[in-house]
Amino acid sequence: MKCPYCSEEMKLGVIYGDKCSLKWISLEKDKGPLLQWFSKGIKLSDVFENNSIESFFCENCKKIIIDVEDKID
Ligand SMILES: [Zn+2]
């Protein structure tokens, strides 16, 4: 997915809530599979637990885009 702000390629990841916080975590395969879950995430909130949301992150603009098309009741 291209970033709508800068047109650079965005990284696919998930927004995942562990016991401590809600983070954006990269799903890029060139990174270590387990370490990134705990160290490379983008902390978003401490409120949610056990929720994950697929999303795209632009490293250039520092923006996260979430497609909520299939998540609207
Ligand atoms: Zn961008």
Side-chain angles (χ1 to χ4, degrees):
M1 179 172 176
K2 299 281 188 198
C3 175
Y5 294 91
C6 71
S7 298
E8 291 290 316
E9 192 64 32
M10 301 185 81
K11 292 177 177 293
L12 176 63
V14 294
I15 293 172
Y16 176 80
D18 62 18
K19 288 173 184 169
C20 302
S21 62
L22 192 64
K23 295 175 178 178
W24 181 90
I25 296 153
S26 174
L27 291 178
E28 301 283 303
K29 285 170 183 158
D30 55 314
K31 304 267 172 73
L34 250 177
L35 264 176
Q36 65 184 350
W37 283 88
F38 302 101
S39 63
K40 297 277 186 179
I42 295 170
K43 189 175 175 182
L44 299 174
S45 170
D46 290 327
V47 176
F48 297 95
E49 289 188 52
N50 300 319
N51 289 316
S52 69
I53 304 163
E54 191 169 89
S55 57
F56 287 91
F57 170 60
C58 179
E59 280 192 318
N60 195 36
C61 297
K62 305 291 186 285
K63 292 188 188 302
I64 292 171
I65 293 178
I66 301 168
D67 185 354
V68 296
E69 188 176 347
D70 60 346
K71 297 178 178 64
I72 299 171
D73 291 330

